[in-house]
Structures are given as C-alpha cells and as structure tokens.
Amino acid sequence: MESQNILVATHGAWLASFMEHILTSPSMYQVENCNEKVARAPAPTTGVTKIVLTKRTNENGPRLLKFLTLHDNSHLHGQDLPK
C-alpha cells in the first residue's frame, strides 16, 4: 500500500481530547518525539500538529505515531495579529 496524506482541521478542544487519548493508550499507540507537557497544553491559535501514523508491526500491536510538529505556530512569526 502506498502512503497517503490526510489533513484534519479541528478546534483545540478536540485536539486536546485526542492527544489525551493517545498519551493514555500505550497498548494502542507508541508515541515518538512528543513532549507530553506541550501535548497536554492548550494548542495555540492556528497551531499545526503533524503526525506520521505507521502500520502496526503485528496485528495486535500498537501503532507508532511519530510527531513531526506539535502545536507549531512558527508560520505566524513576523505577523501583526489583531489583539
């Protein structure tokens, strides 16, 4: 099977629930490159989280989630945002 890209756009509250599910389900997910303190913090406005989800190594094993970015808002640096 070839790799696929999927975009999910959501509000921070849903992302917070999803992150808590991931972090408290070690039998389902093996997490790599994820700062748990940052993951449990509120996501900044327009924050970008990129995750690579891999296949299971065996039928009942956890999926590996590799975090490429977590709540990244570097695309806003230098922007004059309304207050």
Side-chain angles (χ1 to χ4, degrees):
M1 179 178 182
E2 63 185 69
S3 66
Q4 298 177 1
N5 293 323
I6 299 171
L7 169 69
V8 176
T10 185
H11 290 277
W14 184 89
L15 182 59
S17 295
F18 179 64
M19 292 301 300
E20 191 62 27
H21 170 72
I22 288 170
L23 295 173
T24 58
S25 303
S27 64
M28 294 177 64
Y29 306 105
Q30 178 185 342
V31 179
E32 184 177 286
N33 196 33
C34 179
N35 180 320
E36 287 192 31
K37 185 176 179 179
V38 173
R40 287 188 162 104
T45 300
T46 74
V48 176
T49 297
K50 294 180 184 177
I51 306 169
V52 174
L53 173 66
T54 64
K55 292 182 180 180
R56 287 185 168 96
T57 54
N58 65 56
E59 189 175 310
N60 297 317
R63 290 189 183 272
L64 176 60
L65 300 178
K66 296 180 183 180
F67 281 74
L68 304 179
T69 63
L70 178 58
H71 305 334
D72 179 37
N73 63 354
S74 62
H75 58 282
L76 297 176
H77 294 182
Q79 300 286 328
D80 289 327
L81 300 176
K83 297 187 187 221

